[in-house]
Amino acid sequence: MKIESRLAQIGSIQEPKTGAVSFPVYNATAFRHPKLGESTGFDYTRTKNPTRSVLEDAAAQLESGDAGFACSSGMAALHVVLSLFSQGDHLIVSLDLYGGTYRLLEKIMTRFGVTASYVDTNDIDAMSELCTPNTKAILIETPTNPLMMITDIERVSAWAKSKGLLTIVDNTLLTPFFQRPIELGADIVVHSATKYLGGHNDVLAGLIVSKGKELSEQIGFLHNSIGAVLGAQDSWLLMRGMKTLALRMERHQYNATRIAEYLLEHESIEEVFYPALPSHPGYEVQSRQSSGNTGIFSFKVKDARYIEPILRHIKLIAFAESLGGVESLMTYPAVQTHADIPLEIRQKVGVDDKLLRFSVGIEHVDDLIADLDQALAAAKREIEEA
Ligand SMILES: Cc1ncc(COP(=O)(O)O)c(C=O)c1O
């Protein structure tokens, strides 16, 4: 069955008792045992909940993995995955990545003796140099947040396998509708399901999908032991969002491409970072490994003085953090989503004071371009008059 059909049908044929097409929300935290030594398969909700299980099975299937785990946020999902590692272990991580992931690695995992080196994850020589006997995994975002750098998943996971490393891919920006890293050789996929999977800026959630029995058992143990699991109500809300993922991703992609092309030609814009543009350095790899493009991109204005008035003048587009929802949001990574990354690293990567990140929603593209156009014109006027 095609992915569009599988998405639309999440949970709809799993309730044989009533035939409900929307799977019920099981709020129970405890489940009766038929007798000593027997279980219905559900004992305690942290370990397994019927509503969450439907979501987890759907996630595993959509990402071509063996097991899925729903967590209370994307960060909780990353924390569970990083808990696979122990004192002395070392990870190789994308140079450009979500600031919260960097914070988790640098401010929390280091306290447990787990360290990370940040590198361009297409540079196999640089990664080989960083690899020590203690290196256990490579963690990549592709595209990265916010600079949209692309990593060749197949090439990197083949290299990781040859070194005995796990490949972990944060697939938040593309979702399994456009990209399935496990099919390309990855071992674990992580999502901030708060973003495109939920899709409506109204549910905080994370997902993990793993390949292989032993690895899935280890993650299952950590998921239950750490306990940052997704509640039944939010599991249902996430599934409701996922049913329309295909339609939304196509519209996000269409709108983002049109707007990126518009900005590329705009006199006040210095650079547009969007892998759907043939000028993007990752265009060829992205076109090969994904069937489409995300709805988020970043762009640099020519003069940092534009930033404040642009954010003040946008009306339809909200000045807000987060991404992947039906409503368009614009954020300033240097002081918001990526503020926890030290200045010298941000500057090295390019997350500087001229960069804006735009999560393009599903509104009519003409309205979004009109909003941007008036905000850019107002910003230009103010700067010229100052
Ligand atoms: C790529 C990526 N991974 C993980 C996260 C963390 O997810 P959450 O905010 O759901 O905890 C985010 C949040 O913005 C993200 O953009």
Side-chain angles (χ1 to χ4, degrees):
M1 211 192 290
K2 302 271 192 222
I3 191 163
E4 290 86 345
S5 313
R6 284 186 277 134
L7 284 162
Q9 292 287 334
I10 292 174
S12 75
I13 47 171
Q14 265 132 323
E15 225 288 295
K17 215 164 158 187
T18 64
V21 294
S22 167
F23 194 81
V25 181
Y26 282 85
N27 281 319
T29 52
F31 300 84
R32 272 175 214 275
H33 303 299
K35 59 180 183 186
L36 192 64
E38 280 188 11
S39 162
T40 59
F42 299 97
D43 305 313
Y44 184 57
T45 268
R46 171 160 40 73
T47 315
K48 197 170 177 193
N49 170 280
T51 314
R52 200 177 74 228
S53 286
V54 172
L55 166 66
E56 292 175 333
D57 291 348
Q61 216 236 0
L62 290 165
E63 283 286 8
S64 302
D66 292 319
F69 305 93
C71 303
S72 54
S73 69
M75 289 321 302
L78 278 154
H79 195 190
V80 168
V81 169
L82 292 177
S83 302
L84 284 166
F85 306 108
S86 310
Q87 166 86 31
D89 287 351
H90 169 251
L91 310 179
I92 293 175
V93 181
S94 295
L95 188 57
D96 177 42
L97 85 163
Y98 171 57
T101 310
Y102 180 86
R103 181 176 56 207
L104 174 61
L105 284 162
E106 289 304 306
K107 303 237 164 104
I108 298 167
M109 296 313 295
T110 48
R111 286 169 36 208
F112 299 93
V114 177
T115 56
S117 303
Y118 304 88
V119 66
D120 171 358
T121 44
N122 279 310
D123 189 342
I124 301 275
D125 290 342
M127 293 199 295
S128 299
E129 254 171 55
L130 288 169
C131 207
T132 73
N134 288 343
T135 307
K136 295 287 157 58
I138 167 158
L139 166 60
I140 53 182
E141 283 180 15
T142 179
T144 57
N145 175 2
L147 284 173
M148 316 302 291
M149 294 173 182
I150 302 299
T151 293
D152 185 331
I153 301 173
E154 200 164 19
R155 181 162 164 262
V156 164
S157 41
W159 171 82
K161 269 197 184 63
S162 75
K163 300 273 180 191
L165 315 182
L166 287 176
T167 302
I168 306 161
V169 179
D170 185 328
N171 201 27
T172 298
L173 266 51
L174 282 172
T175 82
F177 182 62
F178 280 149
Q179 175 172 276
R180 289 178 291 283
I182 288 175
E183 291 178 5
L184 299 167
D187 302 287
I188 301 173
V189 168
V190 186
H191 281 277
S192 168
T194 316
K195 310 299 188 307
Y196 289 105
L197 293 174
H200 295 74
N201 291 319
D202 60 6
V203 58
L204 187 75
L207 286 173
I208 305 165
V209 174
S210 50
K211 183 80 190 160
K213 190 167 179 283
E214 200 186 322
L215 184 61
S216 301
E217 278 170 7
Q218 282 173 18
I219 296 175
F221 170 79
L222 293 166
H223 185 237
N224 179 42
S225 305
I226 292 171
V229 300
L230 193 64
Q233 189 71 45
D234 284 347
S235 296
W236 179 86
L237 201 49
L238 179 53
M239 284 191 274
R240 216 253 309 247
M242 286 167 70
K243 283 171 179 278
T244 55
L245 181 71
L247 290 173
R248 287 186 285 105
M249 290 311 287
E250 274 163 4
R251 181 62 170 259
H252 283 298
Q253 169 179 230
Y254 172 78
N255 281 359
T257 307
R258 287 267 322 266
I259 298 170
E261 284 165 358
Y262 155 80
L263 287 173
L264 210 53
E265 299 297 317
H266 198 284
E267 52 164 2
S268 308
I269 304 303
E270 187 175 280
E271 206 173 345
V272 179
F273 303 86
Y274 188 41
L277 300 173
S279 55
H280 188 281
Y283 177 78
E284 188 267 320
V285 174
Q286 163 77 9
S287 313
R288 181 161 33 87
Q289 70 186 6
S290 314
S291 57
N293 284 283
T294 182
I296 173 181
F297 65 84
S298 296
F299 61 97
K300 273 189 190 173
V301 289
K302 284 195 175 141
D303 185 329
R305 288 178 301 166
Y306 270 89
I307 299 285
E308 191 281 324
I310 290 175
L311 294 173
R312 182 161 34 83
H313 284 291
I314 46 176
K315 294 189 181 93
L316 177 62
I317 304 159
F319 170 32
E321 290 179 42
S322 202
L323 61 104
V326 292
E327 301 93 356
S328 290
L329 309 180
M330 192 175 283
T331 191
Y332 188 30
V335 299
Q336 294 184 303
T337 50
H338 291 69
D340 277 302
I341 301 182
L343 182 66
E344 67 275 14
I345 299 188
R346 268 196 281 115
Q347 276 172 346
K348 187 171 153 202
V349 182
V351 182
D352 62 20
D353 60 356
K354 291 196 284 184
L355 188 81
L356 285 170
R357 193 188 74 186
F358 188 9
S359 173
V360 181
I362 63 164
E363 300 91 344
H364 198 288
V365 69
D366 293 348
D367 292 329
L368 293 171
I369 291 177
D371 195 30
L372 267 180
D373 210 50
Q374 66 78 24
L376 282 161
K380 185 169 183 236
R381 247 188 342 266
E382 283 186 20
I383 288 168
E384 281 169 0
E385 282 165 13

